[in-house]
Amino acid sequence: MAFTRATGKHRAPSRLSRKSASMAGAAALATTGVIGTLASPALAATPGMTPVEDTGMTQLVTDDTLADQIADQAAAQKQEAAEAKAEAAAKRKAEARVKAAREAKERAAREAERKRLNSFVAPISGSYISTGYKTGGAVWSSGSHTGIDFHAASGTTVHAVGSGTVVEAGWGGAYGNNVVIKMRDGSYTQYGHLSSITVSVGQSVTPGAQIGLSGATGNTTGPHLHFEARTGSEYGSDIDPVAYLRAHGVAV
């Protein structure tokens, strides 16, 4: 019995046709971006092994792993950047704290120095007044004492009572060796009967600075320090030295 070759829709596609269709399908997937340029290379056949059909998935798996690595690297870089930023911020804060502490210390030092320069001290440390202001007697040409006397043995350090500028340093007649200082507030202080002088005219002095040593030069009956407070540099402008010192915080 003779058979007729099947034709039309009932005819099975040939191997060549199936391969063409598969390639066309792959091209279509590439066009739509599903596979793109990730088509895998042909797998080499190993002798004795059944050839493995190239499905195109090998390259996709490899590329997925690479994508994960890139994502991990990006995340690590982002973390490093965040840590670097946090470290920089912490460093800036630490530097700001150090700067603030330094500035606070400098302000405190300036304030302490300002207070020191504006402070007053006694002209003789640990001494006492042996002759008061306006004490009368023939010893003084004016008829009364124009200052106060501090008890002091010869060679005792004499201090500037406050900040100022030396306007006289030398022999002062009845005062013997004497120093006159113009104070920062415009008043004047005078120190008489010194055995030696350790400052010069024009020199700036601060509270407690040594200006000389006590003695018995000039008109005196013995060693001591004669101290005056004045409104001017000349004799006759004296004011109460006790009240002057007390007004500036010195206990006498």
Side-chain angles (χ1 to χ4, degrees):
M1 182 178 177
F3 293 93
T4 305
R5 183 180 296 272
T7 59
K9 65 178 180 180
H10 300 292
R11 183 179 179 181
S14 67
R15 182 180 181 85
L16 180 59
S17 298
R18 289 196 303 270
K19 185 173 183 180
S20 298
S22 177
M23 293 176 64
L29 290 175
T31 301
T32 59
V34 175
I35 295 179
T37 60
L38 302 179
S40 63
L43 299 178
T46 303
M49 294 183 62
T50 304
V52 178
E53 184 180 356
D54 182 3
T55 63
M57 295 300 293
T58 302
Q59 187 68 31
L60 289 175
V61 171
T62 302
D63 287 348
D64 285 345
T65 302
L66 179 60
D68 290 341
Q69 292 175 349
I70 293 174
D72 291 342
Q73 184 178 6
Q77 291 175 344
K78 184 176 181 181
Q79 178 66 22
E80 290 176 359
E83 291 175 354
K85 184 177 181 180
E87 183 178 352
K91 183 178 180 181
R92 287 194 297 272
K93 287 182 180 180
E95 291 173 347
R97 287 193 297 268
V98 171
K99 181 180 179 181
R102 183 179 66 252
E103 291 177 346
K105 185 177 180 180
E106 290 172 352
R107 286 195 300 272
R110 288 194 299 270
E111 178 62 16
E113 180 65 5
R114 185 190 68 79
K115 288 181 178 180
R116 186 185 76 82
L117 294 176
N118 288 325
S119 66
F120 275 67
V121 300
I124 298 286
S125 299
S127 185
Y128 59 88
I129 296 173
S130 57
T131 305
Y133 181 56
K134 293 299 184 182
T135 298
V139 177
W140 299 285
S141 59
S142 64
S144 64
H145 199 202
T146 55
I148 54 177
D149 292 342
F150 283 92
H151 174 77
S154 291
T156 302
T157 298
V158 177
H159 305 286
V161 296
S163 297
T165 303
V166 177
V167 295
E168 183 178 340
W171 187 256
Y175 290 110
N177 293 322
N178 87 129
V179 171
V180 178
I181 300 174
K182 182 178 181 180
M183 311 304 289
R184 293 181 69 179
D185 63 1
S187 62
Y188 292 80
T189 54
Q190 188 253 6
Y191 313 76
H193 307 311
L194 303 177
S195 61
S196 65
I197 297 172
T198 56
V199 292
S200 56
V201 173
Q203 181 177 337
S204 295
V205 295
T206 56
Q210 179 178 313
I211 60 173
L213 300 176
S214 63
T217 58
N219 293 342
T220 178
T221 58
H224 66 278
L225 172 69
H226 175 84
F227 174 78
E228 287 189 18
R230 299 173 175 175
T231 57
S233 61
E234 300 300 325
Y235 172 81
S237 61
D238 55 280
I239 57 177
D240 186 348
V242 173
Y244 176 85
L245 290 174
R246 288 176 177 172
H248 290 90
V250 180
V252 291

